[in-house]
Amino acid sequence: IAHRAGVHWSTVSRVLNPQTRTMVSSEVAERILKIAESVGYQRNRLAVGLKTRRSFTVGMIVPDLTNPVFPAIVRAVEHVLGAEGYVTVLADSDRSRETETAIIGSMRARQVDGLILATAHLQDNIVAQCRKDRTPFVLVNRTTLETDVSSVASNDDRGIHRVIEHLVGLNHRRIAFVGGPLDTSTGFSRRNAFVAALQEHRLKVDHKAIVDSQAFTIESGLAAGREVLRAHRRITAIVAANDMLALGCYDALNEAGLQCPQNISVTGYNDMPFADRFNPPLTTVRIPLEDIGQQAAQLLLRQMRNPETPATAVLLEP
């Protein structure tokens, strides 16, 4: 390529590396790229990795691939990292800490350059270990109690407050809550926001009408919905901490011979794909899933390029 372009091989090297391409004039770079394409050139990732001590792979772990929230985040991550020459290796922990630990061990053995974790718990030994090992990582959708950690999530407090404002505006006063696991930031913060929002509107907080699920799944939503209905048949609305839980509440209402929204209204959270196709279409809170993935990938790129980059916590508005 250098011979055909009439330049030194180091110039070709700079052009073929997206991170150093701007060091060469656009005219020369364009000529080199055209020649490289014509000869079918592909970068030897193994050789580059041996020289730079990088694998150009990033590991991403999600807790449940069947949750429709994650594909949009994963796709955005892949798009941003792919443009910089990285391949994303995706794994599903199946909500198991043991599985997650094993996956991270396997990814480290393959020398991934960084991690994007959607599996964090409020108190998380894996996050603490990544910090100790100085492994570049970013949390998505969830955060931890540790403050010096890069993360991208939605403002759950604002989202739940908007739900309550909406329901109160429709004259609902007896509102139940079906939440998620309290050892996750999404379960903990959305539950706290629900209680705070009721208090702000001077509504009674009945803790028997608040049920915390073990997982953000339809099955958990069904079980929690049954529990709410057994304790409180006079409620007029159920706020679910995510859309999967809301679908489970739909099933609980159908079992009890009740209709939504004629008897009891239900709201969700996340605006997962096809929420508008449910019966009835689900009232939900939209969080910017693609923005979460894009910003998480950008934060990780900064960390991988400069390990001294300060931690950044990003909260996006729902």
Side-chain angles (χ1 to χ4, degrees):
I1 296 172
H3 177 71
R4 290 193 183 191
V7 299
H8 193 268
W9 65 265
S10 62
T11 303
V12 175
S13 179
R14 291 189 184 99
V15 171
L16 296 178
N17 183 349
Q19 296 179 12
T20 58
R21 188 171 298 158
T22 56
M23 297 171 64
V24 180
S25 71
S26 58
E27 181 183 348
V28 173
E30 185 177 353
R31 185 167 77 249
I32 289 172
L33 289 172
K34 285 182 178 179
I35 294 171
E37 183 179 2
S38 71
V39 300
Y41 172 80
Q42 291 184 334
R43 294 183 79 193
N44 186 324
R45 288 295 177 189
L46 180 59
V48 173
L50 288 172
K51 185 174 182 179
T52 63
R53 295 186 179 181
R54 290 188 294 166
S55 65
F56 292 95
T57 58
V58 167
M60 183 169 184
I61 308 176
V62 299
D64 182 4
L65 269 176
T66 64
N67 187 328
V69 162
F70 293 113
I73 297 176
V74 172
R75 185 177 182 182
V77 166
E78 289 183 325
H79 180 76
V80 173
L81 293 179
E84 298 295 327
Y86 287 86
V87 171
T88 304
V89 179
L90 179 65
D92 181 349
S93 72
D94 197 25
R95 302 188 300 273
S96 164
R97 303 302 283 167
E98 292 77 13
T99 301
E100 183 183 359
T101 300
I103 289 170
I104 288 180
S106 178
M107 287 182 171
R108 280 179 171 159
R110 287 165 173 77
Q111 297 182 322
V112 295
D113 296 326
L115 294 167
I116 293 181
L117 306 175
T119 51
H121 289 67
L122 287 174
Q123 294 181 317
D124 199 302
N125 293 332
I126 291 174
V127 169
Q129 188 63 45
C130 286
R131 288 186 63 188
K132 182 179 178 181
D133 296 341
R134 297 178 64 83
T135 302
F137 72 96
V138 177
L139 308 182
V140 291
N141 196 48
R142 297 181 185 177
T143 59
T144 71
L145 293 177
E146 297 190 54
T147 55
D148 194 24
V149 171
S150 289
S151 62
V152 185
S154 72
N155 189 331
D156 290 335
D157 184 76
R158 180 62 186 141
I160 293 295
H161 273 73
R162 291 188 68 175
V163 169
I164 299 302
E165 289 168 8
H166 173 72
L167 291 174
V168 170
L170 295 174
N171 296 318
H172 288 281
R173 296 296 181 270
R174 297 185 297 275
I175 306 171
F177 182 74
V178 169
L182 290 181
D183 63 346
T184 65
S185 63
T186 43
F188 184 77
S189 62
R190 291 173 192 178
R191 185 191 202 276
N192 286 352
F194 173 79
V195 172
L198 289 189
Q199 292 171 337
E200 287 178 15
H201 287 279
R202 298 182 179 180
L203 298 178
K204 180 183 178 182
V205 178
D206 187 342
H207 290 281
K208 290 183 179 180
I210 299 175
V211 179
D212 303 305
S213 304
Q214 296 301 308
F216 286 105
T217 62
I218 294 175
E219 294 76 16
S220 294
L222 172 59
R226 288 168 175 164
E227 188 173 340
V228 164
L229 293 176
R230 280 196 298 268
H232 281 272
R233 292 300 289 263
R234 294 183 61 214
I235 61 170
T236 63
I238 300 174
V239 172
N242 87 336
D243 295 339
M244 303 287 276
L245 293 172
L247 277 180
C249 290
Y250 274 21
D251 291 341
L253 291 177
N254 288 333
E255 276 188 359
L258 300 172
Q259 290 183 305
C260 174
Q262 290 87 339
N263 303 119
I264 296 177
S265 294
V266 176
T267 67
Y269 203 105
N270 287 341
D271 191 24
M272 70 182 192
F274 307 112
D276 58 330
R277 302 297 180 90
F278 300 162
N279 184 23
L282 180 65
T283 296
T284 185
V285 177
R286 174 177 295 168
I287 66 175
L289 301 174
E290 291 187 358
D291 287 348
I292 288 175
Q294 289 170 358
Q295 295 203 33
Q298 289 163 359
L299 284 179
L300 184 63
L301 284 170
R302 289 178 211 159
Q303 283 191 35
M304 292 189 298
R305 289 167 183 164
N306 179 13
E308 303 305 319
T309 301
T312 303
V314 178
L315 273 186
L316 300 176
E317 286 301 301

